[in-house]
Amino acid sequence: MAARAETFVQVAEHEVRVSHPDKVVFPQPGLTKLDLIEYYIAVAAGALRGAGGRPLVLKRFVKGITQEPFFQKRVPEGHPAYIDTAILRYARGTSAEEAVVRDAAGLAWVVNLGCLDLNPHAVRAEDLDHPDELRVDLDPMPGVEWAQIVDVAHVARDVLDDVGLTGWPKTSGSRGLHVLVRIEPRWSFADVRLAAETLAREVSRRAPGLASAQWWKEERGESVFVDFNQNAKDRTVASAYSIRPLPDARVSTPLAWDEVRMRRPDEFTVRTVRERYADIGDPHAGIDDAVGVLDGLLALAAELGPAEKPPRGSGDGSGRRASTMPLIEIARTRTKPEAEAVLERWRAENVEIARMLHPADVLVDGMRGSSSLWYRVRINLQHVPKADRPAQGALLADYDPPHGPATHR
């Protein structure tokens, strides 16, 4: 049978056009675009609990999951009437009219654009200046096992309990965990970020060596970074029931706290989560009834005092931050596979040094541009004797995001 150019899906009172419904998006499990739309319709109540009524950044995988997505803030022209919009204004003076999804038809429409995960802001469309959600992103460094992430999550839960807040855990859909906290929408983004940073500092204080609140990646070691900056005004996080762009079609899945230690992220895929949702419903069904206040965390912020700031002055007159670690940069690339290939080339050319590195010494960072990602590869030489440390040399690949492909040497 020939692949269909389009079909239409009836979702409540709305008819949603689906282009290329038979296109295989995830070859490994054999999932088509229509399969993904049917998944989101099946879990719609849970997915809307996380993303509904919030402005969305559209992360579009128009070339498939093996290619980098592009990020679209502005809602496409000609969007259907069941898609609301909200105008967000950013600190740098720009603004964007972003999509706001409120029903299952909206979810189907978003997926038809090539979106896999849902990336909502932490505000409701009705009040764009006051977040109603504090987001705790537990991001493991290389070499960190799941048990350590779980331990840190429970420490975070204890801190939240101590300040009168309720945390709701979910897998990130990759290696980490998110803990979501509903709050009254009466604090500014700056206050919410301060509260999140205070939480991160307190978790790090209670779990030294396991958790880190260090913003600079090279200073964290093999720890779980409690990423407080996900609460900045321009940040979004993949919300509950989002499909992530991994070969197994993994899903960011809400959990009950008694499941956190027993389950693993790779258990939760499009097929298994759809079955789980039909069997047990949404473990986060009560999240909107557990709204708290930030008074306790902000009081703790005052008690702890300002966080230590990193040193400035790189010695080149730029005013850039000076790292406390012996770093060399080896590449900048357009895609992650290119970054990994260059890294393997560097390892082959520096075999003895590569053997001395710990997992967290290899830093492959996704750098967000205005509409896309690019990748920076750095090596932390802290575990290499000073006499053996190579000097910073020419980059093996040098991608200039505004101007095009990388140059290689």
Side-chain angles (χ1 to χ4, degrees), residues 9 18 20-27 29-44 47 61 64-65 104 106-118 241-251 269-271 274:
V9 176
V18 180
H20 307 292
D22 303 319
K23 177 183 178 181
V24 177
V25 181
F26 289 93
L31 294 170
T32 65
K33 181 194 276 192
L34 185 58
D35 290 329
L36 305 187
I37 288 173
E38 290 175 342
Y39 158 81
Y40 270 113
I41 293 172
V43 301
F61 290 84
I65 62 170
L107 296 174
W109 177 81
V110 165
V111 178
N112 184 56
L113 293 177
C115 298
L116 299 179
D117 43 16
L118 308 173
Y241 296 100
S242 285
I243 304 169
R244 306 310 304 275
L246 296 177
D248 58 359
R250 201 169 298 187
V251 169
T269 65
V270 166
R271 289 201 170 102
R274 184 171 178 176

Side-chain angles (χ1 to χ4, degrees), residues 130-268:
H130 300 97
D132 73 330
E133 185 170 83
L134 184 149
R135 295 165 172 178
V136 183
D137 181 5
L138 303 180
D139 184 13
M141 290 290 288
V144 171
E145 301 294 335
W146 180 250
Q148 182 173 335
I149 303 168
V150 170
D151 288 342
V152 174
H154 281 281
V155 175
R157 183 190 189 188
D158 291 342
V159 176
L160 290 170
D161 286 345
D162 289 347
V163 294
L165 293 170
T166 303
W168 300 77
K170 70 179 182 71
T171 64
S172 69
S174 182
R175 295 180 59 237
L177 268 171
H178 297 159
V179 181
L180 307 177
V181 183
R182 286 288 197 268
I183 57 173
E184 293 181 6
R186 56 186 176 92
W187 286 274
S188 67
F189 277 95
D191 286 336
V192 175
R193 185 183 182 279
L194 174 60
E197 183 178 19
T198 302
L199 172 70
R201 292 172 66 191
E202 181 63 11
V203 171
S204 178
R205 187 189 69 80
R206 296 190 189 187
L210 296 181
S212 173
Q214 293 290 335
W215 176 242
W216 302 105
K217 192 172 183 180
E218 65 269 18
E219 297 175 1
R220 298 175 199 157
E222 292 178 8
S223 66
V224 177
F225 175 46
V226 187
D227 189 353
F228 53 87
N229 210 47
Q230 297 295 8
N231 294 275
K233 184 174 183 179
D234 61 346
R235 295 299 183 94
T236 60
V237 175
S239 58
Y241 296 100
S242 285
I243 304 169
R244 306 310 304 275
L246 296 177
D248 58 359
R250 201 169 298 187
V251 169
S252 178
T253 305
L255 302 174
W257 275 108
D258 61 7
E259 293 182 291
V260 170
R261 197 170 295 280
M262 298 185 298
R263 308 303 295 268
R264 296 293 184 273
D266 59 2
E267 297 179 50
F268 302 110

Side-chain angles (χ1 to χ4, degrees), residues 329-333 395-401 404-409:
E329 184 175 3
I330 65 171
R332 298 179 183 185
T333 67
L395 299 182
L396 298 183
D398 191 0
Y399 173 62
D400 185 1
T407 57
H408 295 257
R409 72 167 178 84

Side-chain angles (χ1 to χ4, degrees), residues 19 55 322:
S19 61

